Amino acid sequence: MASESTAADGSNTAAINRPKNLPNFSHVPWPVRPRDGINYDFVATLYLIGSALALSFYLLETKILAPLLVENDVDATTTTTDESDGTTGTEENGEEGGNAWKEFASGMQGMYFIFAPFVPCLLWSLLVRYFWLKETKKISLDKKDN
């Protein structure tokens, strides 16, 4: 192996320090170096779920709830003019559920920001997983040869 190091006396320190059946990640840069004992399939799956939540909340806000948010802004400007007419706070169209949906839409606004950090973490975990799979595949092929 090219990543094996030698001590001052010429002995092979990689063979002494690390058993043959464990992967050697010394050639991988430290920010994406996999650690022994961590299943990066599981890590990437959890980051994928968090990223999917971020995407779904973003799409919910921009595609589905956007008309309610725009109506909410329009209603806010028209209620100031209606208040000068002396009308009460009753619904003009008779819908009681309309206010609840507008309240829900304003409460969901910006919810995707909570899950947004999962997206770069997903990219990082996929890169680490790539190196992890590459090395574990190499170990399994070495076991087959023996």
Side-chain angles (χ1 to χ4, degrees):
M1 283 200 243
S3 62
E4 294 178 352
S5 61
T6 56
D9 62 351
S11 63
N12 187 351
T13 59
I16 295 170
N17 295 337
R18 199 169 227 10
K20 201 107 164 113
N21 61 353
L22 288 178
N24 183 9
F25 298 114
S26 61
H27 63 283
V28 180
W30 70 268
V32 291
R33 184 177 299 149
R35 301 288 175 234
D36 292 334
I38 297 177
N39 184 350
Y40 286 97
D41 288 332
F42 179 73
V43 172
T45 301
L46 290 181
Y47 282 141
L48 179 66
I49 291 169
S51 299
L53 281 171
L55 180 65
S56 62
F57 281 133
Y58 177 75
L59 292 176
L60 178 71
E61 181 180 329
T62 57
K63 302 297 179 193
I64 298 171
L65 299 177
L68 292 173
L69 293 171
V70 170
E71 287 176 15
N72 206 9
D73 292 340
V74 171
D75 288 345
T77 57
T78 58
T79 46
T80 55
T81 58
D82 289 344
E83 289 173 0
S84 62
D85 295 340
T87 58
T88 61
T90 60
E91 290 280 332
E92 292 178 10
N93 55 4
E95 287 183 33
E96 288 296 322
N99 253 355
W101 279 110
K102 290 177 185 176
E103 188 72 27
F104 175 74
S106 65
M108 291 298 291
Q109 195 171 11
M111 187 67 72
Y112 63 93
F113 282 120
I114 296 171
F115 297 97
F118 281 95
V119 176
C121 291
L122 173 66
L123 299 176
W124 170 83
S125 70
L126 290 175
L127 188 59
V128 173
R129 182 180 173 269
Y130 166 76
F131 288 115
W132 176 68
L133 288 175
K134 186 177 171 182
E135 192 66 31
T136 54
K137 183 178 179 182
K138 189 187 304 181
I139 294 292
S140 67
L141 289 176
D142 288 345
K143 283 183 182 179
K144 278 186 178 180
D145 290 341
N146 293 335

